[in-house]
């Protein structure tokens, strides 16, 4: 980037353009730093068993039978995806989620335990969520969800035991039982305890706006959303207007994910775009945002700075798009390569 945009610290003042030197997007080298103790990570949110359908045509409901490229069962849900990848990367991660006492719940527990995820599971009697994920010919995903499962039921009373140093609420607006006021209360407490706080989101479910988030955003160190979600909250498609709206409502750092266009970041009063890591072939975009979040948290937990963590995040997001299933691309070899990017010099 040859241009950055900055402000003077006044939350009412729009971000302005400031000239700066371009940075490198290389993932091949990081500056050496002193050894650091890895921080523990807690992920809050949904765990889902996904039935993935690849190559689903738009005419699927017009005919009785349709051949597709692939159908497979996969672990899913924003919080599960992030926790699973972090565990594969050998991070110390705990998943705070809801699972039913059923086959889908047993499948997800087994996946988590095998990956090395610590589980914090309140007693729960509602069924485990099962989603059908239809991936069209371009890799874009479309969901069939069942509202009568644990997907929308996570509440503040389920989140009393958060001992980790970095806490991520994997998707605001997923659970109807976790209001903005509840999240603000939780994050206020976490900041008082000295935690690093992060929050991702889905599109607002009850016509919420960015101003509704104002009681919560000052307690969020790192806010994630994609451009569509930001546009829905801020009622604009303009990039700078979206980021300014978050800033004026208390956000400290915003990472606005924009697919192949990269990630637009508002950090320390400056707006800039960090390019995407090229993806050779997009199979499915399902879980790319979750992989991005996990990569960023992995960088933070290992003592990397903001920009280095964003580059790790972008690499993970790009890798996720190359396979069907949010975690399928992260083989042992791939995870070892990502680990070497961030911890070889620690």
């Amino acid at each position: 980037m040859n241009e950055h945009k900055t402000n003077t610290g006044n939350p009412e003042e729009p971000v302005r353009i400031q000239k700066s030197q371009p940075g490198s997007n290389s993932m091949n080298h990081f500056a050496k730093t002193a050894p650091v103790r890895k921080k523990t990570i807690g992920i809050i949110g949904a765990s889902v068993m996904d039935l993935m359908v690849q190559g689903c045509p738009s005419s699927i409901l017009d005919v009785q039978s349709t051949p597709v490229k692939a159908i497979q069962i996969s672990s899913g849900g924003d919080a599960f995806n992030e926790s699973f990848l972090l565990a594969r990367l050998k991070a110390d991660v705990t998943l705070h989620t809801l699972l039913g006492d059923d086959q889908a719940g047993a499948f997800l527990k087994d996946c988590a335990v095998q990956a090395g995820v610590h589980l914090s599971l309140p007693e729960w009697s509602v069924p485990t969520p099962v989603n059908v994920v239809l991936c069209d010919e371009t890799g874009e995903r479309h969901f069939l969800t069942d509202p009568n499962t644990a997907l929308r039921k996570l509440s503040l009373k389920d989140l009393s035991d958060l001992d980790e140093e970095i806490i991520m609420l994997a998707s605001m607006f997923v659970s109807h039982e976790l209001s903005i006021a509840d999240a603000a209360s939780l994050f206020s407490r976490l900041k008082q305890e000295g935690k690093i706080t992060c929050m991702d989101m889905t599109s607002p479910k009850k016509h919420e706006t960015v101003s509704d988030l104002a009681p919560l955003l000052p307690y969020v160190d790192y806010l994630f959303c994609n451009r569509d979600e930001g546009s829905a909250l801020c009622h604009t498609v303009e990039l700078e207007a979206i980021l300014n709206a978050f800033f004026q409502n208390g956000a400290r750092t915003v990472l606005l994910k924009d697919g192949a266009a990269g990630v637009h970041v508002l950090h320390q009063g400056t707006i800039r775009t960090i390019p995407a890591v090229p993806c050779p072939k997009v199979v499915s975009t399902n879980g790319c945002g979750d992989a991005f979040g996990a990569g960023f948290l992995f960088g933070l937990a290992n003592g990397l700075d903001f920009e280095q963590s964003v580059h790790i995040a972008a690499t993970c997001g790009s890798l996720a798009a190359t396979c069907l299933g949010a975690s399928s691309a992260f083989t042992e070899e791939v995870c070892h390569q990502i680990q070497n990017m961030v911890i070889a010099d620690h």
Side-chain angles (χ1 to χ4, degrees):
M1 283 289 291
N2 293 323
E3 290 183 336
H4 288 195
K5 300 176 180 66
T6 189
N7 61 60
T8 61
N10 184 346
E12 299 301 325
E13 181 178 333
V15 176
R16 301 193 303 268
I17 292 175
Q18 172 185 298
K19 297 293 184 181
S20 64
Q21 296 298 317
S24 169
N25 191 39
S26 172
M27 290 300 300
N28 296 323
H29 177 74
F30 290 101
K32 290 188 177 182
T33 59
V36 296
R37 182 184 63 81
K38 297 179 184 178
K39 292 182 172 64
T40 56
I41 306 170
I43 309 292
I44 302 167
S47 298
V48 180
M49 188 172 79
D50 285 336
L51 178 62
M52 306 288 300
V53 183
Q54 181 187 3
C56 185
S58 58
S59 61
I60 189 168
L61 296 181
D62 297 332
V63 294
Q64 188 175 29
S65 179
T66 302
V68 295
K69 290 183 179 179
I71 301 174
Q72 70 181 48
I73 294 174
S74 174
S75 57
D78 41 44
F80 192 97
N81 290 339
E82 293 184 16
S83 301
F84 186 89
L85 175 52
L86 284 163
R88 294 293 303 270
L89 292 171
K90 308 303 181 185
D92 186 346
V93 58
T94 299
L95 172 60
H96 302 268
T97 192
L98 298 180
L99 295 176
D101 184 15
D102 48 29
Q103 288 183 322
F107 168 75
L108 291 171
K109 286 179 185 177
D110 186 58
C111 291
V113 170
Q114 289 191 27
V117 177
H118 308 302
L119 291 172
S120 176
L121 301 172
E123 292 294 328
W124 201 249
S125 59
V126 175
T128 302
V130 178
N131 287 352
V132 179
V133 186
L134 306 177
C135 302
D136 63 23
E137 290 89 342
T138 69
E140 288 299 317
R141 69 267 171 86
H142 311 270
F143 293 91
L144 302 178
T145 66
D146 180 356
N148 301 309
T149 67
L151 182 63
R152 313 288 186 198
K153 305 298 184 183
L154 189 69
S155 69
L156 190 60
K157 64 180 176 59
D158 301 314
L159 303 173
S160 59
D161 186 20
L162 299 173
D163 297 328
E164 300 77 33
E165 295 160 287
I166 302 173
I167 302 295
M168 164 70 99
L169 174 56
S171 273
M172 190 64 207
F173 306 126
V174 167
S175 176
H176 297 164
E177 303 298 323
L178 187 67
S179 68
I180 293 172
D182 288 339
S185 173
L186 173 64
F187 273 60
S188 173
R189 187 192 89 210
L190 294 173
K191 290 310 299 175
Q192 290 174 4
E193 295 171 356
K195 313 286 191 184
I196 298 172
T197 56
C198 308
M199 187 178 81
D200 207 333
M201 64 182 67
T202 61
S203 295
K205 302 294 189 293
K206 299 179 181 179
H207 308 291
E208 296 93 344
T209 67
V210 65
S211 61
D212 294 322
L213 290 173
L216 168 60
L217 293 180
Y219 302 114
V220 180
D221 293 319
Y222 300 100
L223 177 69
F224 302 75
C225 69
N226 66 38
R227 193 160 183 171
D228 289 341
E229 293 157 356
S231 179
L233 276 169
C234 302
H235 294 172
T236 178
V237 297
E238 296 298 326
L239 168 64
E240 291 181 32
I242 294 170
L243 292 172
N244 271 311
F246 281 121
F247 178 78
Q248 290 164 5
N249 282 278
R252 303 179 182 192
T253 296
V254 182
L255 298 98
L256 189 68
K257 299 168 286 187
D258 199 9
V263 57
H264 315 292
V265 300
L266 168 61
H267 181 58
Q268 296 180 340
T270 298
I271 288 178
R272 62 196 178 96
T273 296
I274 298 177
V277 173
C279 178
K281 180 178 174 60
V282 175
V283 174
S284 169
T285 59
N286 187 52
C288 292
D290 303 334
F292 181 97
F296 185 84
L297 295 176
F298 186 64
L300 283 186
N302 281 276
L304 298 188
D305 65 24
F306 176 76
E307 184 166 343
Q308 291 170 337
S309 297
V310 173
H311 285 311
I312 294 294
T315 297
C316 291
S318 178
L319 285 167
T322 63
C323 293
L324 186 65
S327 306
S328 300
F330 297 97
T331 63
E332 184 175 350
E333 180 181 0
V334 168
C335 288
H336 185 65
Q337 291 172 352
I338 296 170
Q339 289 172 308
N340 284 343
M341 290 179 185
V342 297
I343 64 175
D345 292 330
H346 286 341

